[in-house]
Amino acid sequence: MTARIQPLPDGSTLVHIGPYKTGTTAMQGALWEARDALAAHGVAYPGELAHEMNAAMALALGRVDPGKDVEAFRERWYALVAELRATAPRIGVLSSEVYCEATDEGARTLLDELGPRTQIVITVRPIVRLLGSQWQQYGQNVPVPPYAEWLRAILDQADSPDGGAVTPSFWQRHRHDLLVERWVGLVGADRVSVIVVDDRDHRGLPAAFEGLLGLPEGLLRPPADKTNRSLTFAEATLMRELVERTSQPPWTSADHGRFVRFGAARGLQATPPDPAAERLLTPGWAIDRALEVGAAMAERIGASGARVIGDLGLLSDRALAPAEGDNAPVGAIDPSAAAALAVGIITKLTGVHPRPEPRDLAGPVERAAWSRHRAVTERWDAERDQAGARRTAARELARRARRRLGG
């Protein structure tokens, strides 16, 4: 990606649609951290968050995270567009991997509201590098089969990505060739840019965005993210077991999101892994199949007419394959990993206790935790009041006794 990139035309709105696990979080963080500098160069990145995810979900998918108001976040998305119109930047930027899953209605609305100068940017990575991270990500949210079994199910349905009972969204997100073809069909090949991400070149992706936005080299710097590391195989196994046990009543998606996804998983990821722990290994047959799929996708992307920034050959480059092999069954869990997982949950529980009322979005597990804490607090308050009353009565009796004695 070192060749000079022709900037997008002035008046464009760049919409980065992901997909997932292709550097979206890094670029959203870079754009957010640099928004003042961007403004000085005529580029606007509107919003109050680095990633206005629920606003994008409301527009693109017609839904939001559990317990939130879809209409309120739909209005939030329109407010982002209004902010772009009000500032009239040289180039506006919206970024969310959620857009890659947009319904037909969501895609039409996005394009109608942003207008004919909308430019779609799609970032792609080799499928072979996405398998392990996506299995881990799914395993933090929903019950999934063991890695080898999941790989077999996923790779067997690569040629029919609309089907499959196991994590069906994988190919909806990661048949990158079909994603490119879809948006070329919606806006034309001249308004779609595909950036091929090379994980060995940490400046490649920011440099591509700098080129598209007409920015000075080095302006976009993705922040270091130390909270979203890959799990070791043992840690991933621990998370799978926890998710399996919290996927049934009384647990709901709201409780799971608060205590498991953003509690237990973040607790693990925030703790340095055991350097001796076995990392996730991908069987050789799965690597071979993923490279075949990557080669086929590269061919279709190249034939789509979209502008390609980077080397499509990377999508089938064995040099980029993950560590190959088969993991041995986990016989024991590292106590420090179990402790980190527990700390993540406890950290989320501390936010439940101080509230005078449970959150509107709270699930039954959170409400039960709040109720128990409230009952204990009320009992302590009552006992304290009773003890205070006894002390007051004792002091009064002592005062009266002193008066009688003094009389």
Side-chain angles (χ1 to χ4, degrees):
M1 297 184 192
T2 56
R4 186 176 184 278
I5 298 169
Q6 183 66 30
L8 298 176
D10 289 355
S12 299
T13 299
L14 183 160
V15 181
H16 179 205
I17 68 170
Y20 294 79
K21 297 294 182 181
T22 61
T24 50
T25 300
M27 289 315 306
Q28 289 153 4
L31 291 163
W32 178 252
E33 293 296 327
R35 58 194 182 281
D36 291 340
L38 292 177
H41 291 278
V43 177
Y45 187 60
E48 298 175 355
L49 301 168
H51 181 199
E52 294 273 3
M53 183 181 69
N54 277 288
M57 287 176 64
L59 186 284
L61 305 177
R63 58 178 173 81
V64 289
D65 282 340
K68 297 186 177 180
D69 185 344
V70 66
E71 289 305 320
F73 279 101
R74 191 187 300 274
E75 289 304 312
R76 176 71 194 136
W77 188 86
Y78 282 106
L80 297 177
V81 176
E83 186 177 339
L84 284 178
R85 289 174 178 158
T87 56
R90 179 175 60 82
I91 297 180
V93 182
L94 296 178
S95 176
S96 178
E97 52 270 44
V98 173
Y99 295 132
C100 80
E101 297 181 292
T103 63
D104 290 343
E105 179 183 358
R108 283 195 302 270
T109 303
L110 182 147
L111 295 173
D112 287 346
E113 290 298 320
L114 295 177
R117 294 185 174 183
T118 305
Q119 295 277 340
I120 303 298
V121 173
I122 300 172
T123 42
V124 302
R125 289 176 67 211
I127 291 298
V128 74
R129 293 190 66 83
L130 296 173
L131 293 171
S133 62
Q134 281 288 256
W135 176 74
Q136 289 195 12
Q137 189 70 49
Y138 282 121
Q140 295 173 22
N141 293 283
V142 296
V144 294
Y147 187 43
E149 184 180 334
W150 180 84
L151 285 170
R152 184 71 67 184
I154 288 296
L155 293 170
D156 281 352
Q157 66 190 50
D159 295 328
S160 53
D162 292 334
V166 176
T167 55
S169 63
F170 179 86
W171 287 120
Q172 294 170 13
R173 297 171 177 177
H174 296 306
R175 272 300 299 263
H176 299 160
D177 52 341
L178 301 185
L179 181 65
V180 171
E181 290 173 353
R182 181 193 186 198
W183 286 89
V184 165
L186 288 170
V187 302
D190 60 325
R191 291 166 54 195
V192 176
S193 297
V194 178
I195 302 173
V196 184
V197 178
D198 185 347
D199 293 334
R200 299 166 300 187
D201 180 5
H202 297 299
R203 275 296 306 158
L205 183 56
F209 271 80
E210 289 165 355
L212 290 172
L213 296 172
L215 298 173
E217 182 179 350
L219 189 145
L220 294 177
R221 296 185 177 276
D225 184 2
K226 299 179 181 179
T227 65
N228 195 29
R229 67 167 176 85
S230 295
L231 302 180
T232 66
F233 181 65
E235 290 171 337
T237 301
L238 179 62
M239 277 302 305
R240 280 188 62 244
E241 185 66 24
L242 178 62
V243 169
E244 187 72 38
R245 292 169 182 261
T246 57
S247 62
Q248 301 174 11
W251 290 83
T252 64
S253 58
D255 284 321
H256 186 278
R258 182 170 179 81
F259 297 115
V260 179
R261 180 183 175 190
F262 294 111
R266 295 298 171 86
L268 276 176
Q269 291 170 323
T271 303
D274 178 357
E278 187 177 50
R279 56 183 167 171
L280 184 65
L281 302 176
T282 300
W285 65 263
I287 290 175
D288 292 341
R289 177 62 178 137
L291 293 175
E292 290 176 6
V293 174
M297 290 199 298
E299 184 175 353
R300 292 184 66 159
I301 292 172
S304 70
R307 172 164 63 162
V308 176
I309 301 170
D311 180 9
L312 284 172
L314 296 178
L315 302 187
S316 57
D317 189 343
R318 182 170 286 275
L320 296 175
E324 181 176 340
D326 296 284
N327 290 106
V330 176
I333 295 296
D334 179 5
S336 64
L341 182 148
V343 167
I345 296 175
I346 293 169
T347 300
K348 287 299 180 181
L349 281 170
T350 60
V352 174
H353 297 165
R355 296 177 174 271
E357 298 291 338
R359 298 184 310 140
D360 291 340
L361 306 181
V365 172
E366 182 178 340
R367 288 180 180 274
W370 180 89
S371 295
R372 288 170 186 154
H373 174 77
R374 189 69 172 178
V376 170
T377 301
E378 289 175 351
R379 185 172 72 249
W380 287 349
D381 289 344
E383 291 173 353
R384 185 185 62 232
D385 292 344
Q386 291 171 3
R390 288 194 294 270
R391 288 194 297 270
T392 300
R395 286 195 296 268
E396 179 61 20
L397 288 173
R399 186 183 65 80
R400 291 178 181 180
R402 288 195 298 271
R403 290 181 61 185
R404 285 197 298 270
L405 291 172

